Structures are given as structure tokens and as C-alpha cells.
Short mmCIF file of all heavy atoms in Angstrom, two decimals:
data_model
loop_
_atom_site.label_atom_id
_atom_site.label_comp_id
_atom_site.label_asym_id
_atom_site.label_seq_id
_atom_site.Cartn_x
_atom_site.Cartn_y
_atom_site.Cartn_z
N ASP A 1 107.31 101.14 104.62
CA ASP A 1 107.46 101.12 103.17
C ASP A 1 108.32 102.26 102.72
O ASP A 1 109.19 102.01 101.78
CB ASP A 1 106.09 101.28 102.49
CG ASP A 1 105.19 100.05 102.60
OD1 ASP A 1 105.71 99.04 103.12
OD2 ASP A 1 104.05 100.09 102.34
N GLY A 2 108.08 103.46 103.20
CA GLY A 2 108.83 104.61 102.65
C GLY A 2 108.57 104.81 101.17
O GLY A 2 107.41 104.60 100.67
N TYR A 3 109.61 105.22 100.41
CA TYR A 3 109.33 105.53 99.04
C TYR A 3 109.53 104.18 98.18
O TYR A 3 110.33 104.13 97.34
CB TYR A 3 110.31 106.54 98.56
CG TYR A 3 110.21 107.87 99.13
CD1 TYR A 3 111.14 108.45 99.90
CD2 TYR A 3 108.99 108.58 99.01
CE1 TYR A 3 111.07 109.72 100.47
CE2 TYR A 3 108.76 109.84 99.59
CZ TYR A 3 109.81 110.39 100.34
OH TYR A 3 109.69 111.59 100.94
N SER A 4 108.78 103.13 98.50
CA SER A 4 108.83 102.02 97.69
C SER A 4 108.10 102.22 96.45
O SER A 4 107.41 103.22 96.25
CB SER A 4 108.13 100.79 98.43
OG SER A 4 106.85 101.01 98.59
N ARG A 5 108.21 101.26 95.49
CA ARG A 5 107.54 101.45 94.12
C ARG A 5 106.01 101.20 94.19
O ARG A 5 105.37 101.35 93.23
CB ARG A 5 108.28 100.60 93.18
CG ARG A 5 109.67 100.96 92.87
CD ARG A 5 110.20 100.12 91.67
NE ARG A 5 109.49 100.42 90.48
CZ ARG A 5 109.62 101.47 89.71
NH1 ARG A 5 110.57 102.45 90.07
NH2 ARG A 5 108.96 101.69 88.62
N VAL A 6 105.53 100.72 95.28
CA VAL A 6 104.16 100.41 95.40
C VAL A 6 103.24 101.41 96.18
O VAL A 6 102.05 101.41 96.06
CB VAL A 6 103.91 98.98 96.11
CG1 VAL A 6 104.52 97.88 95.19
CG2 VAL A 6 104.66 98.90 97.42
N ARG A 7 103.93 102.29 96.95
CA ARG A 7 103.07 103.29 97.69
C ARG A 7 104.09 104.43 98.07
O ARG A 7 105.12 104.36 98.37
CB ARG A 7 102.69 102.58 98.98
CG ARG A 7 101.73 103.45 99.85
CD ARG A 7 101.29 102.73 101.12
NE ARG A 7 102.39 102.61 102.02
CZ ARG A 7 102.72 103.52 102.89
NH1 ARG A 7 102.05 104.76 102.89
NH2 ARG A 7 103.62 103.38 103.75
N LEU A 8 103.38 105.62 97.95
CA LEU A 8 103.98 106.78 98.53
C LEU A 8 103.45 107.10 99.84
O LEU A 8 102.30 106.76 100.14
CB LEU A 8 103.71 108.04 97.57
CG LEU A 8 104.44 108.05 96.23
CD1 LEU A 8 103.93 109.22 95.44
CD2 LEU A 8 105.87 108.12 96.41
N PRO A 9 104.22 107.62 100.77
CA PRO A 9 103.82 107.77 102.18
C PRO A 9 103.03 108.98 102.43
O PRO A 9 103.27 109.71 103.32
CB PRO A 9 105.20 107.80 102.95
CG PRO A 9 106.14 108.44 101.87
CD PRO A 9 105.71 107.95 100.61
N GLU A 10 101.97 109.19 101.59
CA GLU A 10 101.07 110.39 101.82
C GLU A 10 100.48 110.34 103.23
O GLU A 10 100.24 111.36 103.78
CB GLU A 10 99.98 110.39 100.79
CG GLU A 10 100.50 110.58 99.33
CD GLU A 10 100.55 109.25 98.68
OE1 GLU A 10 100.82 108.21 99.25
OE2 GLU A 10 100.41 109.29 97.41
N VAL A 11 100.23 109.14 103.75
CA VAL A 11 99.51 108.95 105.00
C VAL A 11 100.30 109.79 106.02
O VAL A 11 99.64 110.48 106.91
CB VAL A 11 99.46 107.49 105.44
CG1 VAL A 11 99.06 107.43 106.90
CG2 VAL A 11 98.46 106.80 104.61
N PHE A 12 101.51 109.75 106.05
CA PHE A 12 102.42 110.37 107.06
C PHE A 12 102.36 111.90 106.96
O PHE A 12 102.60 112.58 107.90
CB PHE A 12 103.80 109.82 107.03
CG PHE A 12 103.87 108.35 107.54
CD1 PHE A 12 103.56 107.32 106.74
CD2 PHE A 12 104.16 108.10 108.83
CE1 PHE A 12 103.48 106.02 107.22
CE2 PHE A 12 104.18 106.82 109.33
CZ PHE A 12 103.89 105.81 108.52
N ALA A 13 102.13 112.40 105.72
CA ALA A 13 102.07 113.83 105.51
C ALA A 13 100.93 114.43 106.20
O ALA A 13 100.91 115.66 106.50
CB ALA A 13 102.05 114.21 104.00
N TYR A 14 99.88 113.70 106.49
CA TYR A 14 98.70 114.16 107.26
C TYR A 14 99.03 114.36 108.70
O TYR A 14 98.25 114.86 109.49
CB TYR A 14 97.60 113.19 107.05
CG TYR A 14 96.94 113.36 105.76
CD1 TYR A 14 97.11 112.36 104.77
CD2 TYR A 14 96.06 114.35 105.37
CE1 TYR A 14 96.49 112.39 103.48
CE2 TYR A 14 95.49 114.39 104.10
CZ TYR A 14 95.69 113.46 103.17
OH TYR A 14 95.10 113.53 101.96
N ARG A 15 100.22 113.77 109.21
CA ARG A 15 100.59 113.85 110.62
C ARG A 15 99.53 113.16 111.55
O ARG A 15 98.95 113.73 112.49
CB ARG A 15 100.72 115.28 111.08
CG ARG A 15 102.19 115.79 111.19
CD ARG A 15 102.98 114.90 112.26
NE ARG A 15 104.34 115.44 112.28
CZ ARG A 15 105.24 114.88 113.13
NH1 ARG A 15 104.94 113.85 113.87
NH2 ARG A 15 106.46 115.35 113.06
N PRO A 16 99.14 111.98 111.25
CA PRO A 16 98.12 111.28 112.08
C PRO A 16 98.60 110.90 113.49
O PRO A 16 97.78 110.50 114.34
CB PRO A 16 97.67 110.06 111.23
CG PRO A 16 98.89 109.74 110.47
CD PRO A 16 99.54 111.07 110.10
N ALA A 17 99.88 110.89 113.71
CA ALA A 17 100.39 110.50 115.01
C ALA A 17 101.39 111.56 115.49
O ALA A 17 102.12 112.18 114.72
CB ALA A 17 101.07 109.14 114.92
N PRO A 18 101.49 111.70 116.79
CA PRO A 18 102.51 112.75 117.30
C PRO A 18 103.94 112.47 117.01
O PRO A 18 104.75 113.32 116.85
CB PRO A 18 102.25 112.60 118.86
CG PRO A 18 100.88 111.98 119.06
CD PRO A 18 100.83 111.09 117.89
N VAL A 19 104.36 111.13 116.94
CA VAL A 19 105.71 110.77 116.59
C VAL A 19 105.68 109.79 115.37
O VAL A 19 104.85 108.83 115.39
CB VAL A 19 106.28 110.02 117.81
CG1 VAL A 19 107.81 109.63 117.46
CG2 VAL A 19 106.38 110.91 119.01
N GLN A 20 106.51 110.08 114.37
CA GLN A 20 106.44 109.28 113.10
C GLN A 20 107.86 108.87 112.83
O GLN A 20 108.81 109.70 112.79
CB GLN A 20 105.75 110.09 111.98
CG GLN A 20 104.30 110.53 112.38
CD GLN A 20 103.53 111.06 111.19
OE1 GLN A 20 102.26 110.86 111.21
NE2 GLN A 20 104.12 111.61 110.14
N VAL A 21 107.88 107.60 112.40
CA VAL A 21 109.27 106.92 112.33
C VAL A 21 109.42 106.26 110.92
O VAL A 21 108.50 105.55 110.44
CB VAL A 21 109.41 105.94 113.49
CG1 VAL A 21 110.79 105.24 113.37
CG2 VAL A 21 109.15 106.58 114.85
N ASN A 22 110.64 106.40 110.42
CA ASN A 22 111.06 105.69 109.16
C ASN A 22 111.84 104.51 109.57
O ASN A 22 112.95 104.62 110.21
CB ASN A 22 111.85 106.75 108.35
CG ASN A 22 112.50 106.12 107.07
OD1 ASN A 22 112.19 104.93 106.69
ND2 ASN A 22 113.33 106.86 106.43
N TRP A 23 111.47 103.32 109.07
CA TRP A 23 112.25 102.14 109.43
C TRP A 23 112.01 101.01 108.42
O TRP A 23 110.98 100.77 107.94
CB TRP A 23 111.78 101.60 110.81
CG TRP A 23 112.48 100.37 111.27
CD1 TRP A 23 113.85 100.10 111.35
CD2 TRP A 23 111.85 99.10 111.53
NE1 TRP A 23 114.11 98.81 111.74
CE2 TRP A 23 112.90 98.17 111.89
CE3 TRP A 23 110.53 98.65 111.71
CZ2 TRP A 23 112.64 96.86 112.23
CZ3 TRP A 23 110.34 97.32 112.03
CH2 TRP A 23 111.40 96.44 112.32
N LEU A 24 113.12 100.37 108.20
CA LEU A 24 113.19 99.02 107.52
C LEU A 24 113.18 99.01 106.00
O LEU A 24 114.23 98.64 105.42
CB LEU A 24 112.17 98.03 108.10
CG LEU A 24 112.38 96.52 107.74
CD1 LEU A 24 113.71 96.13 108.32
CD2 LEU A 24 111.25 95.74 108.31
N ALA A 25 112.08 99.15 105.31
CA ALA A 25 111.98 98.88 103.93
C ALA A 25 112.67 99.77 102.97
O ALA A 25 113.25 99.41 102.00
CB ALA A 25 110.50 98.72 103.47
N TYR A 26 112.55 101.16 103.34
CA TYR A 26 113.24 102.16 102.46
C TYR A 26 114.62 102.49 102.99
O TYR A 26 114.68 103.17 104.07
CB TYR A 26 112.41 103.39 102.25
CG TYR A 26 113.04 104.34 101.34
CD1 TYR A 26 113.11 104.11 100.08
CD2 TYR A 26 113.58 105.50 101.86
CE1 TYR A 26 113.72 105.03 99.18
CE2 TYR A 26 114.21 106.43 101.00
CZ TYR A 26 114.28 106.10 99.62
OH TYR A 26 114.89 107.05 98.87
N PRO A 27 115.69 102.20 102.31
CA PRO A 27 117.04 102.40 102.90
C PRO A 27 117.59 103.74 102.58
O PRO A 27 118.59 103.99 101.85
CB PRO A 27 117.84 101.33 102.15
CG PRO A 27 117.21 101.21 100.86
CD PRO A 27 115.77 101.44 101.06
N GLY A 28 116.93 104.77 103.21
CA GLY A 28 117.38 106.14 102.99
C GLY A 28 116.47 107.09 103.74
O GLY A 28 115.52 106.69 104.47
N THR A 29 116.77 108.37 103.63
CA THR A 29 115.99 109.38 104.27
C THR A 29 114.64 109.64 103.61
O THR A 29 114.55 109.56 102.38
CB THR A 29 116.73 110.73 104.45
OG1 THR A 29 115.92 111.63 105.14
CG2 THR A 29 117.00 111.24 103.08
N SER A 30 113.62 109.95 104.43
CA SER A 30 112.40 110.41 103.76
C SER A 30 112.46 111.82 103.26
O SER A 30 111.63 112.23 102.44
CB SER A 30 111.28 110.29 104.82
OG SER A 30 111.45 111.30 105.85
N GLY A 31 113.36 112.58 103.79
CA GLY A 31 113.54 114.02 103.41
C GLY A 31 112.34 114.78 103.87
O GLY A 31 112.15 115.96 103.37
N ALA A 32 111.55 114.37 104.76
CA ALA A 32 110.29 114.97 105.19
C ALA A 32 110.36 115.60 106.53
O ALA A 32 110.81 114.89 107.49
CB ALA A 32 109.16 113.91 105.11
N ASP A 33 109.77 116.75 106.70
CA ASP A 33 109.69 117.34 108.08
C ASP A 33 108.67 116.72 108.99
O ASP A 33 108.60 117.04 110.10
CB ASP A 33 109.63 118.83 107.95
CG ASP A 33 108.30 119.31 107.22
OD1 ASP A 33 107.44 118.39 106.86
OD2 ASP A 33 108.19 120.55 106.99
N TYR A 34 107.83 115.86 108.35
CA TYR A 34 106.79 115.22 109.17
C TYR A 34 107.19 113.89 109.64
O TYR A 34 106.40 113.15 110.21
CB TYR A 34 105.48 115.10 108.31
CG TYR A 34 105.60 114.61 106.87
CD1 TYR A 34 105.71 113.23 106.61
CD2 TYR A 34 105.57 115.45 105.83
CE1 TYR A 34 105.88 112.83 105.32
CE2 TYR A 34 105.80 115.14 104.49
CZ TYR A 34 105.88 113.78 104.27
OH TYR A 34 105.99 113.21 102.96
#
């Protein structure tokens, strides 16, 4: 999803997985160090 209008990616800020990937729906950078 990324920064879609329906959800912010707070889940990823918790770092629930060792490797985290941005793909497909949001056409740009997350700007996030996580």
C-alpha cells in the first residue's frame, strides 16, 4: 500500500520483520529508514 489514501504504513515503523520492502501500489519512495 505505502502512502495510499486508505492506510498509512505505521505497521512497518514497528519493524516487525528483519527485512522490509516497498513494492507495487505506491509509486515512490517511503522516505523511511525502516
Side-chain angles (χ1 to χ4, degrees):
D1 291 349
Y3 297 120
S4 66
R5 294 188 62 79
V6 293
R7 185 180 71 82
L8 287 177
E10 297 97 331
V11 167
F12 290 80
Y14 286 103
R15 255 300 177 183
V19 179
Q20 302 193 152
V21 181
N22 173 10
W23 177 56
L24 194 60
Y26 180 71
T29 182
S30 67
D33 60 7
Y34 46 81

